[in-house]
Amino acid sequence: ADADQERFDRLRYVEVKHGRICMLAVLGQITTKAGVFLPGTIDYSGTKFSDVPTGIAAFSAISSAGWAQIIAFIGFLEVAVMKDSANGAAPGDFPGDFRNGALDFGWDSFSEEE
């Protein structure tokens, strides 16, 4: 119990972010198991998105160049897009607010009465 508020905020930030990643992973699994795939091919050799199996079997179906692109994209999101006050960005409206001023659907501008 010797953690300070800054460490607590950082841990909460990481927990929210990882929770969202897990929710997206489950949604991706459900979507692909239901037979919904992106159109087109995933590589120049003609492998369609629908040819890639779901779950753990997908790891061997994607080439190392494909994995490098996925990891580079995730790294870009981590460094440039998904920032929170615990990551050095301006404080958001709530913990885990990754909008960075880019998305505003107006859902957070209602008063308590509305």
Side-chain angles (χ1 to χ4, degrees):
D2 59 348
D4 57 358
Q5 185 65 38
E6 183 178 335
R7 177 150 170 76
F8 174 79
D9 290 342
R10 173 71 182 152
L11 291 174
R12 179 169 51 183
Y13 159 80
V14 170
E15 182 179 8
V16 168
K17 193 174 204 178
H18 287 166
R20 289 179 181 176
I21 291 169
C22 290
M23 286 186 277
L24 284 172
V26 168
L27 184 61
Q29 179 74 4
I30 291 169
T31 303
T32 54
K33 285 283 188 184
V36 179
F37 299 96
L38 292 172
T41 58
I42 195 168
D43 58 18
Y44 289 124
S45 64
T47 307
K48 294 188 232 174
F49 283 99
S50 58
D51 294 339
V52 177
T54 60
I56 300 294
F59 285 110
S60 62
I62 299 174
S63 68
S64 57
W67 282 114
Q69 290 175 18
I70 292 169
I71 292 169
F73 180 66
I74 292 170
F76 168 75
L77 291 176
E78 277 287 323
V79 172
V81 179
M82 296 185 76
K83 292 192 174 207
D84 189 56
S85 58
N87 232 14
D93 293 336
F94 50 86
D97 183 4
F98 298 115
R99 295 176 297 166
N100 300 321
L103 296 174
D104 187 9
F105 297 120
W107 60 268
D108 57 347
S109 61
F110 295 109
S111 65
E112 292 290 328
E113 293 80 34
E114 295 180 89

